[in-house]
Amino acid sequence: MGKGGAERTARRILSLWLPRLPTDAHSRRHPERRDHPLAAILAERGRLGVAAVNRAAAEAGVHPGMSLADARAIEPALAVFDAEPESDARLLERIAGWCTRYTPWTAPDGPDGVALDITGCAHLFGGEEAMAADLTARLTPGDVSYTHLSLPSKRHMGT
C-alpha cells in the first residue's frame, strides 16, 4: 500500500513507433511516389544521408543512416526529397493530439514515436489489446504506417 492507504498502480505506456513518418507525409502530398522507393535525406557532417525510407526503399535494402551515394548504389531508382524535421515534429504533435481519443496523456516520444499513458483507460476500449487493435485499425487504412505498437508486459510491470 502507498501513501494514504491507496495501492500504487504501475503506469501502463503504449508506445507507437512511426519511423516512416517523413516518407508517409511526403507520399500523402505526392501519391504518385507512394509505391516507389523513396527516401528523406538530410545533410549531416558534410554528407547527404538517408534520414527515413518508405517500405519499398527498405525492401530494396536502403535504410536510415546510410549515405545517399550508398543508397543510390543499392537502388538506382531511389527518389529523394529533403527531410523537414520541424515539419515532421509538428505532424507528430498532431498525431499525439489525435491519440487523446484513447487517453488524456499523450506525447511525442523522440522524432518518430508517440507515448500514450493508458493507465486506467484501457477498460474503456475493452482492454489493452482491444485498444491497441483499434489504434492499429485506424492507422492502417490511412496515410500513416506504423512499424511497432507495443504494450509493456504485465509480468515486467509487477501487475
Side-chain angles (χ1 to χ4, degrees):
M1 293 239 187
K3 280 187 167 179
E7 194 171 312
R8 190 170 164 99
T9 304
R11 307 307 294 165
R12 305 295 293 165
I13 307 297
L14 185 146
S15 298
L16 176 61
W17 185 37
L18 306 161
R20 292 184 171 81
L21 187 64
T23 54
D24 288 345
H26 184 81
S27 293
R28 188 175 184 188
R29 292 186 304 273
H30 303 279
E32 70 280 2
R33 291 183 161 189
R34 185 177 309 270
D35 298 323
H36 301 286
L38 180 65
I41 58 167
L42 192 60
E44 294 179 316
R45 296 182 298 261
R47 73 176 181 105
L48 289 176
V50 175
V53 299
N54 69 354
R55 188 172 312 281
E59 289 171 356
V62 178
H63 57 83
M66 67 182 1
S67 71
L68 178 57
D70 290 344
R72 285 225 163 110
I74 291 170
E75 178 52 71
L78 183 68
V80 299
F81 64 95
D82 290 332
E84 300 176 32
E86 297 83 15
S87 177
D88 295 338
R90 287 190 301 272
L91 178 56
L92 199 59
E93 283 279 352
R94 288 195 305 273
I95 292 170
W98 175 83
C99 286
T100 60
R101 71 183 308 115
Y102 299 103
T103 174
W105 188 91
T106 66
D109 185 13
D112 57 6
V114 176
L116 294 81
D117 183 343
I118 60 170
T119 308
C121 298
H123 72 282
L124 299 171
F125 297 87
E128 291 178 351
E129 290 77 18
M131 177 188 277
D134 184 73
L135 177 57
T136 300
R138 290 176 187 273
L139 286 176
T140 301
D143 296 317
V144 175
S145 61
Y146 69 95
T147 296
H148 189 69
L149 185 65
S150 67
L151 292 164
S153 164
K154 288 185 180 183
R155 183 181 71 229
H156 292 97
M157 296 299 294
T159 57

